[in-house]
Amino acid sequence: MVQLYEDERLDYLLAEKGMQIIQSPSVFAFSLDAVLLADFVSVPIKKGKMLDLCTGNGVIPLLLSRRSNATITGVEIQERLVDMARRSVALNELEGQIDMLHHDLNTVKLDQSSYDVVTCNPPYFSTPSKREYNQNDYLTIARHEVYATLEDVVRVSKRYVKPGGKVAMVHRPGRLVDIISLFRQYKLEPKRMQLIYPKKGKEANMLLMEGIRDGKADLKVLPPLYIYEEDGTYTKEAETIIYGN
Amino acid sequence: MVQLYEDERLDYLLAEKGMQIIQSPSVFAFSLDAVLLADFVSVPIKKGKMLDLCTGNGVIPLLLSRRSNATITGVEIQERLVDMARRSVALNELEGQIDMLHHDLNTVKLDQSSYDVVTCNPPYFSTPSKREYNQNDYLTIARHEVYATLEDVVRVSKRYVKPGGKVAMVHRPGRLVDIISLFRQYKLEPKRMQLIYPKKGKEANMLLMEGIRDGKADLKVLPPLYIYEEDGTYTKEAETIIYGN
């Protein structure tokens, strides 16, 4: 049995595969963004090392463990979230594959240029107002660039990915220009991009980007992904990613 | 009556509106790319000045004249193409609105920072091999970065567009990273992007980008545009753009 605190709850992560994760609406609950990133990124199947920055409650490492036998390290600055993530890892008996570090990604010490893959679902918003700060520190830190800016995340990804290794992120389309500029500045050449649209006829509201360290310039833009049908139900593609069936 | 030379032919440009253009398969024939760009770009309706670089046989100025009363200047380095473009302008009685300049865009002298809109369907490919050079100079120059690189085109666009004015280009997705990097470098902030997919499930094969000189960072990604249905006929959206109905 797993210990749950306060308003924590146990949610299914991939309904079909019986994986569960500890969440809390007031502390951290994973979003579709993380699920899409874990599905999008290219992973080594049999062995290797992966790193997930801003790992939160560990949703991306948990999902990646279903696609790869590589070891996965998650880095998260909020102790409470690391604790949730570690209990979820134990609950799913993945201690042999996933390691959670409680650390600031800007100062964490890992083997440089050694990871096959680095993933990150970073905070989307720039520094919050004082009012947001005071309301809920957990969510503010997870959502705003308080402790890590987009450039920090890209710089640190570059530091730990090996030459030829992959760095993948999810973000809002409004930051596409920043992501592309920063990826190129840090020699993570953008190679695969996918845009996510809430439904047909709407503007994109999410973007998935994968770069290769020291890669040759040539971006592929994958077919668009729609999340909802006109009637508000998930599209077949979204359902396959979310429920794994 | 219009004079046609050698293998030139007269094609309808927008079937429904009776506009015609002079083309030649061995010299220059416009592509879907130009039609999509002319439809995509934001234009001033009643007055203003627009500039089209690498104008070829003038397809973009001709199409823009149906959307705007602004004056339109086309710049083209190949004299033969300028001659075709001027005859098409005369044929459609647009001499009062469209002016074609035979000039290298890198050295042309126009009023700086004065245009509301600058468009360009630039050469897509880097410098050609000797073999391609010898086969057909007209097509080589139109398609390869012989006389104008992507950076030349962006630099010159920046030179002539006014602050707050728009610069729009069409290119291959493989150059998206270059376009975004160069737009930002030259202070043409990317604001609207659309990806064109040949059909459902395929990777994008064209990209439309519009930047605003000195604009604020915030890119919108428009709904994707599919060109063909599964059965190879045009989609309704593509048909509307191509035939104007």
Side-chain angles (χ1 to χ4, degrees):
Chain A
M1 276 307 292
V2 64
Q3 177 76 57
L4 294 179
Y5 302 104
E6 297 165 33
D7 64 354
E8 288 181 359
R9 61 172 198 246
L10 213 47
D11 284 342
Y12 281 101
L13 194 42
L14 291 171
E16 296 305 302
K17 293 176 184 164
M19 187 175 261
Q20 286 184 297
I21 186 167
I22 299 167
Q23 314 233 65
S24 155
S26 65
V27 176
F28 189 94
F30 74 88
S31 64
L32 181 57
D33 313 39
V35 176
L36 295 177
L37 177 60
D39 180 77
F40 167 79
V41 61
S42 310
V43 296
I45 309 299
K46 297 206 168 163
K47 57 176 188 174
K49 290 168 64 179
M50 300 197 279
L51 177 65
D52 184 46
L53 303 173
C54 311
T55 200
N57 67 345
V59 56
I60 290 175
L62 290 168
L63 288 168
L64 289 179
S65 74
R66 294 301 200 191
R67 298 185 54 207
S68 170
N69 289 323
T71 62
I72 309 165
T73 301
V75 176
E76 170 55 46
I77 196 168
Q78 298 202 64
E79 188 163 18
R80 173 78 197 277
L81 272 54
V82 174
D83 182 62
M84 285 167 73
R86 284 179 180 150
R87 283 178 287 136
S88 288
V89 169
L91 176 70
N92 293 288
E93 299 178 350
L94 289 165
E95 299 97 326
Q97 184 178 10
I98 300 176
D99 194 25
M100 291 291 169
L101 302 182
H102 171 220
H103 221 293
D104 180 341
L105 62 89
N106 282 302
T107 54
V108 68
K109 296 274 180 270
L110 301 164
D111 287 343
Q112 296 199 6
S113 303
S114 76
Y115 289 85
D116 297 281
V117 173
V118 179
T119 52
C120 186
N121 177 6
Y124 286 159
F125 307 107
S126 46
T127 315
S129 66
K130 209 72 197 161
R131 188 176 142 275
E132 289 170 301
Y133 246 119
N134 293 338
Q135 285 187 332
N136 186 325
D137 274 353
Y138 293 124
L139 297 180
T140 300
I141 291 168
R143 291 175 185 168
H144 290 79
E145 295 184 324
V146 180
Y147 290 112
T149 64
L150 184 54
E151 180 157 6
D152 291 336
V153 164
V154 174
R155 186 193 314 105
V156 171
S157 297
K158 160 67 186 300
R159 184 179 299 154
Y160 294 116
V161 72
K162 65 187 191 187
K166 296 176 173 96
V167 174
M169 289 185 196
V170 57
H171 217 296
R172 298 291 164 91
R175 300 297 293 276
L176 172 61
V177 181
D178 290 328
I179 287 193
I180 282 187
S181 303
L182 288 167
F183 265 48
R184 191 163 257 191
Q185 182 184 333
Y186 286 95
K187 312 286 182 214
L188 302 171
E189 183 65 29
K191 298 288 274 185
R192 288 170 70 235
M193 180 171 85
Q194 187 170 36
L195 288 153
I196 316 298
Y197 298 81
K199 59 173 67 176
K200 291 222 171 105
K202 300 285 184 189
E203 290 174 6
N205 63 351
M206 253 185 273
L207 113 95
L208 296 164
M209 179 69 77
E210 184 175 277
I212 295 189
R213 181 171 161 188
D214 306 326
K216 192 171 147 285
D218 186 21
L219 179 69
K220 278 191 197 310
V221 180
L222 306 190
L225 175 67
Y226 300 98
I227 302 300
Y228 298 107
E229 299 286 1
E230 290 303 321
D231 64 5
T233 59
Y234 281 129
T235 61
K236 212 171 150 59
E237 295 77 15
E239 207 171 70
T240 302
I241 295 171
I242 296 164
Y243 297 116
N245 61 355
Chain B
M1 278 304 293
V2 63
Q3 177 78 57
L4 295 180
Y5 302 105
E6 297 165 31
D7 64 354
E8 288 180 1
R9 60 173 199 246
L10 213 48
D11 284 343
Y12 281 101
L13 195 42
L14 291 170
E16 295 306 302
K17 293 176 184 164
M19 187 175 260
Q20 286 185 297
I21 187 167
I22 299 167
Q23 314 233 64
S24 156
S26 64
V27 177
F28 189 94
F30 74 87
S31 64
L32 181 58
D33 313 39
V35 176
L36 295 177
L37 177 61
D39 179 78
F40 168 79
V41 62
S42 309
V43 297
I45 308 298
K46 297 206 167 160
K47 56 177 188 174
K49 290 168 63 179
M50 301 197 277
L51 177 65
D52 184 46
L53 303 174
C54 310
T55 201
N57 68 345
V59 55
I60 290 174
L62 290 168
L63 288 168
L64 289 178
S65 74
R66 295 300 201 192
R67 297 185 54 208
S68 171
N69 290 323
T71 62
I72 310 165
T73 301
V75 176
E76 171 56 45
I77 196 169
Q78 298 202 64
E79 188 163 18
R80 174 76 197 278
L81 271 55
V82 174
D83 182 62
M84 285 166 73
R86 284 180 179 150
R87 284 179 286 136
S88 288
V89 168
L91 176 70
N92 293 288
E93 299 178 351
L94 289 165
E95 298 96 327
Q97 184 177 12
I98 301 175
D99 193 24
M100 291 291 169
L101 302 182
H102 171 219
H103 222 294
D104 180 342
L105 62 89
N106 282 303
T107 54
V108 69
K109 297 274 179 270
L110 301 164
D111 287 343
Q112 297 199 6
S113 305
S114 75
Y115 288 85
D116 298 281
V117 174
V118 179
T119 50
C120 185
N121 177 4
Y124 287 159
F125 307 107
S126 46
T127 315
S129 65
K130 208 71 197 160
R131 189 175 141 274
E132 289 170 300
Y133 245 118
N134 293 336
Q135 284 187 332
N136 187 324
D137 275 354
Y138 292 124
L139 297 179
T140 301
I141 291 167
R143 292 176 184 168
H144 290 80
E145 296 184 323
V146 179
Y147 290 113
T149 64
L150 184 54
E151 179 157 6
D152 291 336
V153 164
V154 174
R155 185 194 314 107
V156 172
S157 297
K158 159 66 185 301
R159 183 180 300 155
Y160 294 116
V161 73
K162 66 187 191 188
K166 296 176 173 95
V167 174
M169 288 186 198
V170 56
H171 217 295
R172 299 291 164 92
R175 299 297 293 277
L176 172 60
V177 181
D178 290 328
I179 287 193
I180 282 187
S181 303
L182 288 167
F183 266 48
R184 192 163 256 193
Q185 181 184 333
Y186 286 95
K187 313 284 183 216
L188 302 171
E189 184 65 29
K191 297 288 273 186
R192 287 171 69 235
M193 180 171 84
Q194 188 170 36
L195 289 153
I196 316 298
Y197 299 80
K199 59 172 68 175
K200 291 221 171 107
K202 299 285 184 189
E203 290 174 5
N205 64 350
M206 253 185 274
L207 110 97
L208 296 163
M209 178 70 77
E210 184 174 277
I212 294 190
R213 181 172 162 187
D214 307 326
K216 191 171 148 285
D218 186 20
L219 179 69
K220 278 192 197 308
V221 180
L222 305 190
L225 175 67
Y226 300 98
I227 303 300
Y228 297 107
E229 299 285 0
E230 290 304 321
D231 64 5
T233 59
Y234 281 129
T235 61
K236 211 172 151 59
E237 294 78 13
E239 206 171 72
T240 302
I241 295 170
I242 295 164
Y243 296 117
N245 61 355

